[in-house]
């Protein structure tokens, strides 16, 4: 039966009402779909001739000879739709939508899907063969996951099957076209369904169109931001239409992403058997992701009574084993309920904007928390550095104390040496004094003076002269005696007088010899005394010179020891002063750092508590979103203002530490070594912090939050 035509020049003013003929056709199609469902279960794969048919138009002559009259009408109708696609797409959009919801005949799916997504106009289709000759970095991942895609389907069964080979080609080609997405496991099921209906080149074109025009590319990006948006929108529908089931899910901590993520990523291809999933995919090709929301809500409506009776584990098993096979025999029931689900595109757009705003707010909060954590980490590092510096200063202090003890010991040794030197100096001075007195005594004695020595020498010379004269006189007397003996000879006897004269001469000779010996002894004695006195004088002069030298050395050593002692006292005083200054600076820096760390930790804890309270309260009370967003904006502005106030310099007065500061310059120099703290607290800031903590309790009721 032909559908009514719309004039070519008539403007499209929204969906057209169905004519009586079209309603009659739809009724026949419902009856025909029930007959075709049984036949579609046995047709799981497509033979090679059907894959190589390309995009050629399908005519009514390809129908089987055993089809009923109703089936022939359906084939004729879809043949007309394919041949007159532009007209149907523009003028009979509502009827086309109803026909697609009733199901596209199996043999028409390939060409209708290509027409729905305009795959024939894709420029990349001509580059497919070139892409296959290139290498992709995702080849190993694709090879690993191919065996997991439709493992029970005969087209993909076997490691070297044709289905796995063409699936690998299409996935590899797309990973080269879109390197940002590359390869995602869920996309293989969509490509596998396309390969069951059409050749690989056409499947590649359709898949590229789906990724570009049907929001699938955003779903399969590494960040999966679109999946989060879909889950957020689906949660809103669940809360709005099935509040009792939503409360049960929340009470059991059964998250929406636990059961709905695969619905959006695989379009129910991993949930339902292929006949049911293909019906859903027919509608997806025309209506987009809207059918996923509708079918998901329809499933939850059908199973709400059973799900509210189960716990988390039971619900997980129910979604995996019961729900997938509920509509194997009657997929029309599921499609009908899905088409009756309330779905408002405008509300979905509004939710999309809200989700984007929430994500941006959450991103800003995360950035702020990361910044605070980084500042906290820097403060911890600074504290560790200060602790190391404090330990080093303590070591230096201990070393200084040890050094001072060693210096004190050295000072004691120096004092003892100085006392010994002073004692030696005093003894040398006394010896010098005694030597000088001895010299003065020697100089004051006339017998031992130099004149006396000269006199003794003169007398010695005289004695030697007299001795020589006596010896000469004695020799003359002996010579005379000999001469007289020779003259007398013995002729006459010596007279008595001559004998007496001889005796007198001999007596005088003996006396002269005795005097001579006495003089010699006296000369020897005098010479000995002179030598002794000379040696005594020489030793005394040497002793005086040595004592003078020792006195000068002792004086120089005493001056050096005095200088060392004064220098050690000065160093000791400087070390004590420096150690006191360092200890004071370390205590000040430790107090500043501990105070800054405590304030930072308190601030981070307050921010996290406020964020968690806002999120929990928003999840429990989900009514006035706009008011909550405004409240959040004001709260964030207040936090930013507080943070700007907290970024001022941290200051602690000397009174707060309880110890007076002696040297302001030394304290300032130690403070300049520290980096400025990230913020400062004042009494006004403490009050603001308390107000901020109260503001988290005064959030509006019913504020929605992101999942």
């Amino acid at each position: 039966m032909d559908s009514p035509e719309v004039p070519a020049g008539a403007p499209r003013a929204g969906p057209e009402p169905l004519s009586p003929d079209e309603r009659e056709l739809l009724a026949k199609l419902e009856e025909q779909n029930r007959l075709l469902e049984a036949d579609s279960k046995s047709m799981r794969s497509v033979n090679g001739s059907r894959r190589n048919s390309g995009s050629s138009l399908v005519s009514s002559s390809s129908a089987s000879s055993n089809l009923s009259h109703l089936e022939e009408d359906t084939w004729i109708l879809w043949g007309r739709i394919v041949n007159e696609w532009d007209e149907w797409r523009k003028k009979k959009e509502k009827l086309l939508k109803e026909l697609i919801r009733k199901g596209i005949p199996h043999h028409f799916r390939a060409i209708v899907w290509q027409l729905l997504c305009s795959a024939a106009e894709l420029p990349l289709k001509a580059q497919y063969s070139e892409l296959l000759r290139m290498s992709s970095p995702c080849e190993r991942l694709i090879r690993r996951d191919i065996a997991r895609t439709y493992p029970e389907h005969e087209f993909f069964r076997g490691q070297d099957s044709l289905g796995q080979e063409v699936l690998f080609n299409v996935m590899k080609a797309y990973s080269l076209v879109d390197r940002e997405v590359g390869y995602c496991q869920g996309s293989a099921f969509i490509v596998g369904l396309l390969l069951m209906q059409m050749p690989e080149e056409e499947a590649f074109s359709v898949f590229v169109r789906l990724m570009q025009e049907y929001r699938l590319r955003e779903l399969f990006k590494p960040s999966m931001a679109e999946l989060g948006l879909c889950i957020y929108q689906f949660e809103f529908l669940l809360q709005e239409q099935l509040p009792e089931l939503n409360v049960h899910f929340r009470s059991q901590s059964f998250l929406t992403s636990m059961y709905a993520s695969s619905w959006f990523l695989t379009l129910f291809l991993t949930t339902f058997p292929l006949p049911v999933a293909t019906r859903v995919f027919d509608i997806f090709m025309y209506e987009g992701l809207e059918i996923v929301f509708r079918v998901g809500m329809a499933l939850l409506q059908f199973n709400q009574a059973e799900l509210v009776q189960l716990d988390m584990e039971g619900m997980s098993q129910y979604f995996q084993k019961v729900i997938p096979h509920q509509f194997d025999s009657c997929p029309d029931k599921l499609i009908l309920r899905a088409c009756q689900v309330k779905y408002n595109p405008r509300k979905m757009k509004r939710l999309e904007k809200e989700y984007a705003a929430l994500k941006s707010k959450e991103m800003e909060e995360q950035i702020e928390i990361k910044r605070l954590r980084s500042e906290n980490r820097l403060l911890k590092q600074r504290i560790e550095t200060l602790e190391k510096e404090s330990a080093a200063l303590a070591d230096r202090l201990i070393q200084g104390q040890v050094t001072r003890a060693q210096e004190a010991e050295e000072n004691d040794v120096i004092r003892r040496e100085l006392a010994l030197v002073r004692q030696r100096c005093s003894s040398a001075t006394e010896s010098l004094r005694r030597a000088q007195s001895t010299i003065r005594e020697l100089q004051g004695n006339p017998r031992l003076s130099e004149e006396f020595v000269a006199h003794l020498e003169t007398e010695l010379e005289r004695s030697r002269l007299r001795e020589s004269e006596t010896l000469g006189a004695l020799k003359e007397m002996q010579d005379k005696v000999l001469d007289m003996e020779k003259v007398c000879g013995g002729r006459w006897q010596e007279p008595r007088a001559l004998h007496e004269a001889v005796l007198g001469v001999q007596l005088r000779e003996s006396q002269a010899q005795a005097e001579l010996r006495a003089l010699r002894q006296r000369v020897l004695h005098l010479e000995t005394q002179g030598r002794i006195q000379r040696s005594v004088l020489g030793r005394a002069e040497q002793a005086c010179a040595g004592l003078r030298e020792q006195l000068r050395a002792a004086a120089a050593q005493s001056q050096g020891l005095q200088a060392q002692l004064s220098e050690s006292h000065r160093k000791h005083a400087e070390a004590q002063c420096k150690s006191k200054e360092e200890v004071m600076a370390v205590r000040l820096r430790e107090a500043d750092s501990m105070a800054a760390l405590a304030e930072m930790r308190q601030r981070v804890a307050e921010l996290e508590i406020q964020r968690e309270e806002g999120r929990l309260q928003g999840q429990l009370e989900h009514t006035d979103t706009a008011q909550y967003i405004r409240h959040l904006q004001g709260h964030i502005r207040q936090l930013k203002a507080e943070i700007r106030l907290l970024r001022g310099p941290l200051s602690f007065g000397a009174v707060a530490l309880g110890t007076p500061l002696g040297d302001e310059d030394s304290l300032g120099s130690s403070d300049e070594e520290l980096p400025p703290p990230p913020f400062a607290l004042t009494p006004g800031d403490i009050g603001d912090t308390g107000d901020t903590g109260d503001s988290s309790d005064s959030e509006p009721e019913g504020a929605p939050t992101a999942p």
Side-chain angles (χ1 to χ4, degrees):
M1 180 181 298
D2 296 339
S3 59
E5 299 288 340
V6 179
R12 297 179 60 193
E16 302 174 353
L18 294 178
S19 63
D21 294 338
E22 291 174 348
R23 285 194 293 271
E24 181 181 357
L25 179 59
L26 289 176
K28 291 181 180 181
L29 284 175
E30 291 178 358
E31 183 180 358
Q32 181 264 347
N33 284 334
R34 288 192 295 271
L35 296 175
L36 288 179
E37 285 300 331
D39 181 63
S40 62
K41 292 180 181 179
S42 62
M43 302 177 68
R44 304 287 179 151
S45 62
V46 182
N47 54 28
S49 62
R50 213 165 29 242
R51 286 193 185 86
N52 296 327
S53 61
S55 60
S56 60
L57 297 178
V58 182
S59 63
S60 59
S61 61
S62 61
S64 177
S65 59
N66 59 350
L67 290 177
S68 63
H69 179 69
L70 185 58
E71 294 172 344
E72 291 179 358
D73 291 342
T74 303
W75 278 74
I76 294 172
L77 176 60
W78 277 103
R80 288 183 55 194
I81 292 174
V82 169
N83 290 325
E84 302 172 0
W85 178 257
D86 293 336
E87 182 179 355
W88 277 78
R89 185 72 172 179
K90 295 177 181 179
K91 299 180 180 181
K92 302 179 181 180
E93 185 176 359
K94 186 173 182 180
L95 177 59
L96 180 61
K97 180 178 181 180
E98 293 295 332
L99 291 174
I100 292 174
R101 286 184 174 181
K102 298 300 180 182
I104 302 173
H106 180 75
H107 295 83
F108 286 91
R109 278 199 174 102
I111 185 61
V112 173
W113 286 357
Q114 295 179 55
L115 292 172
L116 284 172
C117 65
S118 303
E121 303 172 0
L122 185 68
L124 289 174
K125 185 176 181 181
Q127 304 176 8
Y128 180 74
S129 58
E130 297 179 3
L131 293 172
L132 295 182
R133 290 192 290 270
M134 300 170 63
S135 61
S136 171
C138 305
E139 290 184 6
R140 289 186 60 187
L141 295 176
I142 298 172
R143 288 290 186 190
R144 184 192 64 186
D145 294 337
I146 279 180
R148 307 176 189 176
T149 306
Y150 300 115
E152 299 179 358
H153 199 282
E154 60 180 358
F155 185 51
F156 299 98
R157 191 179 303 160
Q159 185 174 1
D160 298 327
S161 62
L162 177 62
Q164 290 191 10
E165 189 63 29
V166 295
L167 178 59
F168 172 79
N169 292 339
V170 176
M171 298 308 300
K172 170 187 171 182
Y174 185 79
S175 67
L176 292 171
V177 170
D178 191 353
R179 295 185 180 272
E180 181 181 2
V181 175
Y183 166 72
C184 185
Q185 185 178 1
S187 60
F189 290 94
I190 300 175
V191 176
L193 179 64
L194 296 176
L195 290 172
M196 295 179 194
Q197 311 295 330
M198 62 191 73
E200 56 181 298
E201 293 87 351
E202 298 173 359
F204 171 73
S205 302
V206 174
F207 182 66
V208 171
R209 282 296 189 188
L210 291 179
M211 295 292 285
Q212 294 176 350
E213 305 295 339
Y214 287 74
R215 297 170 59 186
L216 293 185
R217 185 176 184 275
E218 301 299 325
L219 282 173
F220 291 124
K221 277 185 176 180
S223 61
M224 289 190 174
E226 193 71 15
L227 179 61
L229 173 61
C230 293
I231 296 296
Y232 180 75
Q233 293 172 333
F234 191 82
E235 283 183 347
F236 180 82
L237 292 177
L238 179 62
Q239 182 179 2
E240 184 181 41
Q241 300 183 17
L242 300 174
E244 182 180 356
L245 184 61
N246 180 56
V247 172
H248 179 68
F249 282 168
R250 291 182 179 275
S251 65
Q252 296 294 327
S253 299
F254 193 62
L255 303 179
T256 308
S257 58
M258 297 173 64
Y259 61 88
S261 296
S262 61
W263 295 353
F264 290 97
L265 290 175
T266 63
L267 307 177
F268 294 101
L269 293 174
T270 58
T271 304
F272 296 135
L274 275 178
V276 183
T278 307
R279 289 286 303 276
V280 177
F281 198 83
D282 288 341
I283 305 174
F284 170 76
M285 292 296 297
Y286 187 80
E287 301 181 16
L289 285 176
E290 176 183 339
I291 189 59
V292 181
F293 290 96
R294 291 180 178 275
V295 172
M297 290 302 302
L299 289 176
L300 296 180
Q301 290 175 3
F302 273 120
N303 299 278
Q304 180 180 7
E306 291 79 6
L307 290 173
V308 294
Q309 304 297 327
L310 300 174
D311 58 0
M312 181 178 180
E313 184 66 25
M315 287 188 292
S316 179
Q317 295 293 328
Y318 193 84
F319 272 98
Q320 292 178 5
K321 297 180 179 179
V322 179
I323 290 181
H325 301 286
Q326 283 183 333
F327 304 98
D328 292 354
S329 59
C330 53
D332 289 334
K333 182 178 180 181
L334 175 64
I335 300 300
L336 181 60
R337 176 63 69 89
C339 295
Q340 294 174 354
V341 171
K342 296 179 181 179
Y343 182 88
N344 190 344
R346 293 184 179 179
K347 187 175 292 186
M348 289 297 175
K349 285 291 184 182
R350 182 174 59 83
L351 290 174
E352 182 177 355
K353 294 180 180 179
E354 291 179 2
Y355 180 77
L358 289 177
K359 292 300 289 185
S360 62
K361 298 292 183 183
E362 184 178 354
M363 187 65 66
E364 292 177 358
E365 292 178 359
Q366 291 293 334
I367 292 173
E368 185 65 21
I369 291 175
K370 286 182 180 179
R371 187 187 66 79
L372 293 175
R373 286 177 178 172
S374 63
E375 291 181 357
N376 191 13
R377 185 172 60 255
L378 292 176
L379 283 176
K380 288 181 179 179
Q381 293 176 357
R382 185 59 183 167
I383 289 173
E384 292 177 357
T385 305
L386 290 176
E387 289 176 353
K388 292 180 181 178
E389 292 180 358
S390 177
L393 289 175
D395 294 339
R396 290 173 58 186
L397 184 61
I398 295 173
Q399 187 66 29
Q401 293 176 354
V402 173
T403 305
R404 286 194 296 274
Q406 293 176 353
E407 290 177 353
E409 185 177 357
E410 291 177 357
N411 290 334
D412 294 337
V413 173
I414 292 172
R415 288 192 184 97
R416 289 195 294 270
E417 292 179 355
L418 182 60
L420 182 60
V421 169
R422 286 176 178 174
Q423 184 178 359
R424 290 177 181 176
C425 182
S426 62
S427 62
T429 304
E430 183 66 22
S431 299
L432 180 61
R433 187 181 61 77
R434 288 198 301 268
Q436 289 176 352
S437 64
T438 303
I439 291 171
R440 284 194 298 270
E441 290 177 358
L442 290 174
Q443 290 177 353
N445 191 352
R447 298 189 321 176
L448 298 177
S449 63
E450 293 180 358
E451 294 179 357
F452 179 72
V453 173
H455 178 69
L456 289 177
E457 290 177 352
T458 304
E459 287 184 355
L460 181 61
E461 291 177 355
R462 290 176 181 177
S463 298
R464 287 177 179 176
L465 182 59
R466 286 195 302 269
E467 182 181 2
S468 62
E469 290 177 353
T470 302
L471 287 175
L474 182 59
K475 189 174 181 181
E476 288 179 357
M477 290 296 291
Q478 288 177 354
D479 290 339
K480 287 179 179 182
V481 170
L482 290 175
D483 289 341
M484 288 177 68
E485 287 179 354
K486 288 178 180 180
V487 170
C488 292
R491 289 177 302 176
W492 53 279
Q493 293 181 354
E494 295 181 353
R496 188 175 180 82
L498 182 59
H499 181 68
E500 289 178 359
V502 172
L503 289 175
V505 170
Q506 289 179 351
L507 181 61
R508 286 194 298 274
E509 181 181 3
S510 60
Q511 289 178 354
Q513 288 179 354
E515 290 178 358
L516 181 61
R517 284 194 295 269
L519 288 173
R520 286 178 178 175
Q521 289 179 357
R522 189 175 180 183
V523 168
L524 291 174
H525 179 68
L526 291 174
E527 289 178 352
T528 303
Q529 286 184 354
R531 285 194 297 269
I532 290 172
Q533 292 299 324
R534 288 189 186 95
S535 63
V536 169
L537 287 174
R539 285 195 299 270
E541 290 178 355
Q542 291 177 358
C544 289
L547 289 174
R548 289 191 187 95
E549 187 67 26
Q550 289 180 3
L551 184 61
R552 286 194 296 270
Q557 187 176 4
S558 177
Q559 292 178 358
L561 291 175
Q562 290 288 347
Q564 290 181 2
L565 185 60
S566 61
E567 182 67 21
S568 64
H569 282 304
R570 186 182 63 80
K571 289 183 179 179
H572 181 67
E574 290 180 355
Q576 285 184 346
C577 182
K578 188 174 181 181
S579 63
K580 289 180 181 179
E581 292 177 357
E582 290 177 350
V583 170
M584 181 63 68
V586 168
R587 289 177 180 175
L588 288 176
R589 284 183 284 184
E590 286 181 353
D592 293 346
S593 301
M594 294 303 294
L597 179 61
E599 293 298 333
M600 181 62 67
R601 286 177 177 172
Q602 181 180 1
R603 194 63 192 146
V604 171
E606 289 179 358
L607 289 176
E608 291 181 351
I609 290 172
Q610 292 173 9
R611 181 172 174 267
E612 292 299 328
E613 287 180 355
R615 176 175 292 182
L616 291 175
Q617 189 172 2
Q619 290 177 353
L620 294 175
E621 303 171 354
H622 190 45
T623 57
D624 193 358
T625 306
Q627 184 179 359
Y628 177 68
I629 293 298
R630 290 193 298 272
H631 178 74
L632 281 181
Q633 291 175 349
H635 187 53
I636 293 299
R637 287 194 296 271
Q638 185 178 3
L639 288 178
K640 289 182 177 179
E642 290 180 3
I643 290 172
R644 286 194 296 270
L645 291 175
L646 294 177
R647 285 177 179 170
L650 182 61
S651 60
F652 289 90
V655 180
L657 294 177
T659 56
L661 300 180
D663 192 354
E664 296 179 356
D665 296 335
S666 62
L667 182 58
S669 63
S670 64
D671 292 338
E672 289 174 357
E673 297 175 358
L674 293 174
F679 55 84
L681 289 180
T682 62
D685 296 334
I686 297 174
D688 295 339
T689 306
D691 296 339
T692 305
D694 295 337
S695 65
S696 62
D697 297 333
S698 62
E699 291 178 358
E701 298 182 355
T705 58

